[in-house]
PDB file of all heavy atoms in Angstrom:
ATOM      1  N   PHE A   1     -27.475  28.127   8.120  1.00  0.00           N
ATOM      2  CA  PHE A   1     -27.437  28.467   6.698  1.00  0.00           C
ATOM      3  C   PHE A   1     -26.229  27.859   5.975  1.00  0.00           C
ATOM      4  O   PHE A   1     -26.231  27.726   4.742  1.00  0.00           O
ATOM      5  CB  PHE A   1     -27.407  29.990   6.543  1.00  0.00           C
ATOM      6  CG  PHE A   1     -27.519  30.461   5.123  1.00  0.00           C
ATOM      7  CD1 PHE A   1     -28.736  30.450   4.472  1.00  0.00           C
ATOM      8  CD2 PHE A   1     -26.391  30.906   4.433  1.00  0.00           C
ATOM      9  CE1 PHE A   1     -28.840  30.874   3.152  1.00  0.00           C
ATOM     10  CE2 PHE A   1     -26.494  31.333   3.122  1.00  0.00           C
ATOM     11  CZ  PHE A   1     -27.724  31.321   2.476  1.00  0.00           C
ATOM     12  N   SER A   2     -25.208  27.481   6.712  1.00  0.00           N
ATOM     13  CA  SER A   2     -23.944  27.049   6.111  1.00  0.00           C
ATOM     14  C   SER A   2     -24.066  25.876   5.140  1.00  0.00           C
ATOM     15  O   SER A   2     -23.280  25.802   4.186  1.00  0.00           O
ATOM     16  CB  SER A   2     -22.932  26.710   7.203  1.00  0.00           C
ATOM     17  OG  SER A   2     -23.399  25.630   8.005  1.00  0.00           O
ATOM     18  N   PRO A   3     -25.005  24.902   5.287  1.00  0.00           N
ATOM     19  CA  PRO A   3     -25.070  23.809   4.307  1.00  0.00           C
ATOM     20  C   PRO A   3     -25.341  24.275   2.882  1.00  0.00           C
ATOM     21  O   PRO A   3     -25.023  23.540   1.934  1.00  0.00           O
ATOM     22  CB  PRO A   3     -26.214  22.939   4.839  1.00  0.00           C
ATOM     23  CG  PRO A   3     -26.226  23.185   6.297  1.00  0.00           C
ATOM     24  CD  PRO A   3     -25.884  24.632   6.442  1.00  0.00           C
ATOM     25  N   LEU A   4     -25.913  25.461   2.687  1.00  0.00           N
ATOM     26  CA  LEU A   4     -26.170  25.939   1.328  1.00  0.00           C
ATOM     27  C   LEU A   4     -24.926  26.532   0.672  1.00  0.00           C
ATOM     28  O   LEU A   4     -24.939  26.792  -0.537  1.00  0.00           O
ATOM     29  CB  LEU A   4     -27.282  26.984   1.329  1.00  0.00           C
ATOM     30  CG  LEU A   4     -28.717  26.466   1.398  1.00  0.00           C
ATOM     31  CD1 LEU A   4     -29.696  27.621   1.322  1.00  0.00           C
ATOM     32  CD2 LEU A   4     -29.000  25.456   0.294  1.00  0.00           C
ATOM     33  N   LEU A   5     -23.874  26.749   1.417  1.00  0.00           N
ATOM     34  CA  LEU A   5     -22.646  27.303   0.874  1.00  0.00           C
ATOM     35  C   LEU A   5     -21.700  26.182   0.453  1.00  0.00           C
ATOM     36  O   LEU A   5     -21.824  25.044   0.926  1.00  0.00           O
ATOM     37  CB  LEU A   5     -21.984  28.207   1.916  1.00  0.00           C
ATOM     38  CG  LEU A   5     -22.846  29.387   2.399  1.00  0.00           C
ATOM     39  CD1 LEU A   5     -22.100  30.177   3.452  1.00  0.00           C
ATOM     40  CD2 LEU A   5     -23.263  30.282   1.239  1.00  0.00           C
ATOM     41  N   PRO A   6     -20.751  26.459  -0.447  1.00  0.00           N
ATOM     42  CA  PRO A   6     -19.830  25.402  -0.891  1.00  0.00           C
ATOM     43  C   PRO A   6     -19.043  24.803   0.280  1.00  0.00           C
ATOM     44  O   PRO A   6     -18.625  25.524   1.191  1.00  0.00           O
ATOM     45  CB  PRO A   6     -18.906  26.134  -1.872  1.00  0.00           C
ATOM     46  CG  PRO A   6     -19.674  27.323  -2.328  1.00  0.00           C
ATOM     47  CD  PRO A   6     -20.521  27.732  -1.161  1.00  0.00           C
ATOM     48  N   GLN A   7     -18.851  23.504   0.238  1.00  0.00           N
ATOM     49  CA  GLN A   7     -18.079  22.792   1.247  1.00  0.00           C
ATOM     50  C   GLN A   7     -16.774  22.333   0.591  1.00  0.00           C
ATOM     51  O   GLN A   7     -16.781  21.532  -0.339  1.00  0.00           O
ATOM     52  CB  GLN A   7     -18.854  21.583   1.777  1.00  0.00           C
ATOM     53  CG  GLN A   7     -20.298  21.889   2.180  1.00  0.00           C
ATOM     54  CD  GLN A   7     -20.395  22.798   3.379  1.00  0.00           C
ATOM     55  OE1 GLN A   7     -19.775  22.537   4.426  1.00  0.00           O
ATOM     56  NE2 GLN A   7     -21.154  23.876   3.248  1.00  0.00           N
ATOM     57  N   VAL A   8     -15.666  22.848   1.058  1.00  0.00           N
ATOM     58  CA  VAL A   8     -14.350  22.553   0.480  1.00  0.00           C
ATOM     59  C   VAL A   8     -13.506  21.843   1.524  1.00  0.00           C
ATOM     60  O   VAL A   8     -13.429  22.277   2.673  1.00  0.00           O
ATOM     61  CB  VAL A   8     -13.643  23.841   0.013  1.00  0.00           C
ATOM     62  CG1 VAL A   8     -12.286  23.517  -0.612  1.00  0.00           C
ATOM     63  CG2 VAL A   8     -14.510  24.604  -0.989  1.00  0.00           C
ATOM     64  N   SER A   9     -12.879  20.746   1.100  1.00  0.00           N
ATOM     65  CA  SER A   9     -11.997  20.010   1.999  1.00  0.00           C
ATOM     66  C   SER A   9     -10.776  19.543   1.222  1.00  0.00           C
ATOM     67  O   SER A   9     -10.807  19.425  -0.009  1.00  0.00           O
ATOM     68  CB  SER A   9     -12.718  18.816   2.625  1.00  0.00           C
ATOM     69  OG  SER A   9     -13.117  17.899   1.617  1.00  0.00           O
ATOM     70  N   ALA A  10      -9.705  19.307   1.919  1.00  0.00           N
ATOM     71  CA  ALA A  10      -8.465  18.852   1.290  1.00  0.00           C
ATOM     72  C   ALA A  10      -7.892  17.688   2.093  1.00  0.00           C
ATOM     73  O   ALA A  10      -7.955  17.687   3.333  1.00  0.00           O
ATOM     74  CB  ALA A  10      -7.456  19.997   1.201  1.00  0.00           C
ATOM     75  N   THR A  11      -7.330  16.707   1.360  1.00  0.00           N
ATOM     76  CA  THR A  11      -6.685  15.558   2.013  1.00  0.00           C
ATOM     77  C   THR A  11      -5.324  15.327   1.367  1.00  0.00           C
ATOM     78  O   THR A  11      -5.132  15.556   0.158  1.00  0.00           O
ATOM     79  CB  THR A  11      -7.545  14.289   1.874  1.00  0.00           C
ATOM     80  OG1 THR A  11      -7.745  13.995   0.484  1.00  0.00           O
ATOM     81  CG2 THR A  11      -8.886  14.468   2.558  1.00  0.00           C
ATOM     82  N   TRP A  12      -4.401  14.861   2.155  1.00  0.00           N
ATOM     83  CA  TRP A  12      -3.063  14.513   1.669  1.00  0.00           C
ATOM     84  C   TRP A  12      -2.620  13.264   2.402  1.00  0.00           C
ATOM     85  O   TRP A  12      -2.665  13.194   3.629  1.00  0.00           O
ATOM     86  CB  TRP A  12      -2.096  15.661   1.928  1.00  0.00           C
ATOM     87  CG  TRP A  12      -0.690  15.375   1.462  1.00  0.00           C
ATOM     88  CD1 TRP A  12      -0.196  15.499   0.207  1.00  0.00           C
ATOM     89  CD2 TRP A  12       0.396  14.911   2.270  1.00  0.00           C
ATOM     90  NE1 TRP A  12       1.123  15.150   0.142  1.00  0.00           N
ATOM     91  CE2 TRP A  12       1.521  14.776   1.424  1.00  0.00           C
ATOM     92  CE3 TRP A  12       0.532  14.585   3.616  1.00  0.00           C
ATOM     93  CZ2 TRP A  12       2.754  14.337   1.873  1.00  0.00           C
ATOM     94  CZ3 TRP A  12       1.763  14.146   4.075  1.00  0.00           C
ATOM     95  CH2 TRP A  12       2.866  14.034   3.211  1.00  0.00           C
ATOM     96  N   ASN A  13      -2.233  12.265   1.646  1.00  0.00           N
ATOM     97  CA  ASN A  13      -1.779  10.998   2.209  1.00  0.00           C
ATOM     98  C   ASN A  13      -0.421  10.654   1.625  1.00  0.00           C
ATOM     99  O   ASN A  13      -0.180  10.839   0.418  1.00  0.00           O
ATOM    100  CB  ASN A  13      -2.761   9.868   1.892  1.00  0.00           C
ATOM    101  CG  ASN A  13      -4.105  10.080   2.576  1.00  0.00           C
ATOM    102  OD1 ASN A  13      -4.146  10.329   3.768  1.00  0.00           O
ATOM    103  ND2 ASN A  13      -5.178  10.001   1.809  1.00  0.00           N
ATOM    104  N   ALA A  14       0.441  10.141   2.452  1.00  0.00           N
ATOM    105  CA  ALA A  14       1.757   9.676   2.013  1.00  0.00           C
ATOM    106  C   ALA A  14       2.066   8.359   2.710  1.00  0.00           C
ATOM    107  O   ALA A  14       1.818   8.220   3.921  1.00  0.00           O
ATOM    108  CB  ALA A  14       2.846  10.696   2.314  1.00  0.00           C
ATOM    109  N   ALA A  15       2.588   7.394   1.930  1.00  0.00           N
ATOM    110  CA  ALA A  15       2.931   6.090   2.489  1.00  0.00           C
ATOM    111  C   ALA A  15       4.238   5.597   1.882  1.00  0.00           C
ATOM    112  O   ALA A  15       4.514   5.806   0.693  1.00  0.00           O
ATOM    113  CB  ALA A  15       1.811   5.088   2.215  1.00  0.00           C
ATOM    114  N   ARG A  16       5.056   4.946   2.667  1.00  0.00           N
ATOM    115  CA  ARG A  16       6.310   4.336   2.214  1.00  0.00           C
ATOM    116  C   ARG A  16       6.265   2.863   2.600  1.00  0.00           C
ATOM    117  O   ARG A  16       6.203   2.540   3.782  1.00  0.00           O
ATOM    118  CB  ARG A  16       7.498   5.025   2.850  1.00  0.00           C
ATOM    119  CG  ARG A  16       8.825   4.618   2.236  1.00  0.00           C
ATOM    120  CD  ARG A  16       9.959   5.346   2.913  1.00  0.00           C
ATOM    121  NE  ARG A  16      11.209   5.114   2.233  1.00  0.00           N
ATOM    122  CZ  ARG A  16      12.410   5.428   2.708  1.00  0.00           C
ATOM    123  NH1 ARG A  16      12.494   6.019   3.901  1.00  0.00           N
ATOM    124  NH2 ARG A  16      13.510   5.171   2.023  1.00  0.00           N
ATOM    125  N   THR A  17       6.290   1.988   1.597  1.00  0.00           N
ATOM    126  CA  THR A  17       6.123   0.553   1.852  1.00  0.00           C
ATOM    127  C   THR A  17       7.322  -0.227   1.334  1.00  0.00           C
ATOM    128  O   THR A  17       8.017   0.188   0.400  1.00  0.00           O
ATOM    129  CB  THR A  17       4.844   0.049   1.149  1.00  0.00           C
ATOM    130  OG1 THR A  17       4.956   0.248  -0.259  1.00  0.00           O
ATOM    131  CG2 THR A  17       3.620   0.773   1.668  1.00  0.00           C
ATOM    132  N   GLN A  18       7.525  -1.349   1.961  1.00  0.00           N
ATOM    133  CA  GLN A  18       8.588  -2.277   1.557  1.00  0.00           C
ATOM    134  C   GLN A  18       8.035  -3.684   1.639  1.00  0.00           C
ATOM    135  O   GLN A  18       7.343  -4.020   2.622  1.00  0.00           O
ATOM    136  CB  GLN A  18       9.819  -2.134   2.453  1.00  0.00           C
ATOM    137  CG  GLN A  18      11.008  -2.954   1.997  1.00  0.00           C
ATOM    138  CD  GLN A  18      12.197  -2.778   2.925  1.00  0.00           C
ATOM    139  OE1 GLN A  18      12.048  -2.933   4.127  1.00  0.00           O
ATOM    140  NE2 GLN A  18      13.369  -2.462   2.370  1.00  0.00           N
ATOM    141  N   SER A  19       8.308  -4.543   0.636  1.00  0.00           N
ATOM    142  CA  SER A  19       7.784  -5.905   0.612  1.00  0.00           C
ATOM    143  C   SER A  19       8.914  -6.909   0.436  1.00  0.00           C
ATOM    144  O   SER A  19       9.984  -6.581  -0.089  1.00  0.00           O
ATOM    145  CB  SER A  19       6.757  -6.059  -0.519  1.00  0.00           C
ATOM    146  OG  SER A  19       7.369  -5.812  -1.772  1.00  0.00           O
ATOM    147  N   ALA A  20       8.688  -8.108   0.872  1.00  0.00           N
ATOM    148  CA  ALA A  20       9.671  -9.204   0.753  1.00  0.00           C
ATOM    149  C   ALA A  20       8.994 -10.419   0.160  1.00  0.00           C
ATOM    150  O   ALA A  20       7.810 -10.682   0.431  1.00  0.00           O
ATOM    151  CB  ALA A  20      10.268  -9.529   2.111  1.00  0.00           C
ATOM    152  N   SER A  21       9.745 -11.223  -0.679  1.00  0.00           N
ATOM    153  CA  SER A  21       9.213 -12.445  -1.271  1.00  0.00           C
ATOM    154  C   SER A  21      10.216 -13.595  -1.105  1.00  0.00           C
ATOM    155  O   SER A  21      11.436 -13.367  -1.082  1.00  0.00           O
ATOM    156  CB  SER A  21       8.903 -12.223  -2.755  1.00  0.00           C
ATOM    157  OG  SER A  21      10.102 -11.898  -3.458  1.00  0.00           O
ATOM    158  N   SER A  22       9.714 -14.791  -0.955  1.00  0.00           N
ATOM    159  CA  SER A  22      10.566 -15.982  -0.752  1.00  0.00           C
ATOM    160  C   SER A  22      10.400 -16.937  -1.929  1.00  0.00           C
ATOM    161  O   SER A  22       9.279 -17.114  -2.447  1.00  0.00           O
ATOM    162  CB  SER A  22      10.192 -16.674   0.562  1.00  0.00           C
ATOM    163  OG  SER A  22      10.398 -15.797   1.646  1.00  0.00           O
ATOM    164  N   GLN A  23      11.519 -17.602  -2.341  1.00  0.00           N
ATOM    165  CA  GLN A  23      11.488 -18.548  -3.466  1.00  0.00           C
ATOM    166  C   GLN A  23      12.462 -19.688  -3.187  1.00  0.00           C
ATOM    167  O   GLN A  23      13.589 -19.460  -2.720  1.00  0.00           O
ATOM    168  CB  GLN A  23      11.886 -17.826  -4.762  1.00  0.00           C
ATOM    169  CG  GLN A  23      11.787 -18.705  -5.997  1.00  0.00           C
ATOM    170  CD  GLN A  23      12.119 -17.952  -7.266  1.00  0.00           C
ATOM    171  OE1 GLN A  23      12.516 -16.781  -7.201  1.00  0.00           O
ATOM    172  NE2 GLN A  23      11.998 -18.627  -8.395  1.00  0.00           N
ATOM    173  N   GLU A  24      12.004 -20.932  -3.431  1.00  0.00           N
ATOM    174  CA  GLU A  24      12.857 -22.110  -3.209  1.00  0.00           C
ATOM    175  C   GLU A  24      13.674 -22.397  -4.449  1.00  0.00           C
ATOM    176  O   GLU A  24      13.146 -22.407  -5.570  1.00  0.00           O
ATOM    177  CB  GLU A  24      12.005 -23.324  -2.854  1.00  0.00           C
ATOM    178  CG  GLU A  24      11.334 -23.202  -1.510  1.00  0.00           C
ATOM    179  CD  GLU A  24      10.583 -24.472  -1.155  1.00  0.00           C
ATOM    180  OE1 GLU A  24      10.510 -25.360  -2.007  1.00  0.00           O
ATOM    181  OE2 GLU A  24      10.097 -24.536  -0.012  1.00  0.00           O
ATOM    182  N   ARG A  25      14.937 -22.687  -4.282  1.00  0.00           N
ATOM    183  CA  ARG A  25      15.839 -23.007  -5.372  1.00  0.00           C
ATOM    184  C   ARG A  25      16.702 -24.223  -4.990  1.00  0.00           C
ATOM    185  O   ARG A  25      16.952 -24.454  -3.821  1.00  0.00           O
ATOM    186  CB  ARG A  25      16.749 -21.821  -5.699  1.00  0.00           C
ATOM    187  CG  ARG A  25      16.014 -20.595  -6.227  1.00  0.00           C
ATOM    188  CD  ARG A  25      16.966 -19.478  -6.512  1.00  0.00           C
ATOM    189  NE  ARG A  25      16.256 -18.294  -7.012  1.00  0.00           N
ATOM    190  CZ  ARG A  25      16.851 -17.145  -7.317  1.00  0.00           C
ATOM    191  NH1 ARG A  25      18.181 -17.045  -7.164  1.00  0.00           N
ATOM    192  NH2 ARG A  25      16.147 -16.130  -7.773  1.00  0.00           N
ATOM    193  N   GLY A  26      17.187 -24.971  -5.979  1.00  0.00           N
ATOM    194  CA  GLY A  26      18.084 -26.100  -5.713  1.00  0.00           C
ATOM    195  C   GLY A  26      17.631 -27.368  -6.409  1.00  0.00           C
ATOM    196  O   GLY A  26      16.732 -27.375  -7.257  1.00  0.00           O
ATOM    197  N   ALA A  27      18.241 -28.522  -6.049  1.00  0.00           N
ATOM    198  CA  ALA A  27      17.949 -29.823  -6.674  1.00  0.00           C
ATOM    199  C   ALA A  27      16.578 -30.300  -6.309  1.00  0.00           C
ATOM    200  O   ALA A  27      15.938 -29.784  -5.399  1.00  0.00           O
ATOM    201  CB  ALA A  27      18.997 -30.854  -6.245  1.00  0.00           C
ATOM    202  N   ARG A  28      16.216 -31.341  -7.105  1.00  0.00           N
ATOM    203  CA  ARG A  28      14.908 -31.892  -6.827  1.00  0.00           C
ATOM    204  C   ARG A  28      14.860 -32.606  -5.493  1.00  0.00           C
ATOM    205  O   ARG A  28      13.806 -32.803  -4.924  1.00  0.00           O
ATOM    206  CB  ARG A  28      14.505 -32.842  -7.949  1.00  0.00           C
ATOM    207  CG  ARG A  28      14.281 -32.122  -9.273  1.00  0.00           C
ATOM    208  CD  ARG A  28      13.823 -33.110 -10.316  1.00  0.00           C
ATOM    209  NE  ARG A  28      13.568 -32.404 -11.582  1.00  0.00           N
ATOM    210  CZ  ARG A  28      13.163 -33.007 -12.685  1.00  0.00           C
ATOM    211  NH1 ARG A  28      12.959 -34.349 -12.679  1.00  0.00           N
ATOM    212  NH2 ARG A  28      12.960 -32.327 -13.799  1.00  0.00           N
ATOM    213  N   ASP A  29      16.038 -33.054  -5.056  1.00  0.00           N
ATOM    214  CA  ASP A  29      16.087 -33.709  -3.743  1.00  0.00           C
ATOM    215  C   ASP A  29      15.686 -32.697  -2.676  1.00  0.00           C
ATOM    216  O   ASP A  29      16.294 -31.619  -2.576  1.00  0.00           O
ATOM    217  CB  ASP A  29      17.505 -34.237  -3.484  1.00  0.00           C
ATOM    218  CG  ASP A  29      17.579 -35.018  -2.178  1.00  0.00           C
ATOM    219  OD1 ASP A  29      16.548 -35.080  -1.462  1.00  0.00           O
ATOM    220  OD2 ASP A  29      18.669 -35.511  -1.860  1.00  0.00           O
ATOM    221  N   PRO A  30      14.668 -33.090  -1.945  1.00  0.00           N
ATOM    222  CA  PRO A  30      14.217 -32.106  -0.948  1.00  0.00           C
ATOM    223  C   PRO A  30      15.314 -31.678  -0.001  1.00  0.00           C
ATOM    224  O   PRO A  30      15.315 -30.551   0.495  1.00  0.00           O
ATOM    225  CB  PRO A  30      13.082 -32.842  -0.212  1.00  0.00           C
ATOM    226  CG  PRO A  30      12.626 -33.869  -1.183  1.00  0.00           C
ATOM    227  CD  PRO A  30      13.842 -34.300  -1.967  1.00  0.00           C
ATOM    228  N   ARG A  31      16.250 -32.564   0.222  1.00  0.00           N
ATOM    229  CA  ARG A  31      17.291 -32.192   1.175  1.00  0.00           C
ATOM    230  C   ARG A  31      18.285 -31.195   0.598  1.00  0.00           C
ATOM    231  O   ARG A  31      19.046 -30.573   1.315  1.00  0.00           O
ATOM    232  CB  ARG A  31      18.035 -33.441   1.625  1.00  0.00           C
ATOM    233  CG  ARG A  31      17.171 -34.378   2.473  1.00  0.00           C
ATOM    234  CD  ARG A  31      17.905 -35.656   2.800  1.00  0.00           C
ATOM    235  NE  ARG A  31      18.141 -36.431   1.561  1.00  0.00           N
ATOM    236  CZ  ARG A  31      18.776 -37.610   1.537  1.00  0.00           C
ATOM    237  NH1 ARG A  31      19.217 -38.136   2.669  1.00  0.00           N
ATOM    238  NH2 ARG A  31      18.942 -38.244   0.391  1.00  0.00           N
TER     239      ARG A  31
END
């Protein structure tokens, strides 16, 4: 009989993220 009764659920998610990016700087000379 239980499917006819309300179905209640709870979820909790937590995430901690860190990102890194790279960029080229300097003269036009590749060296």
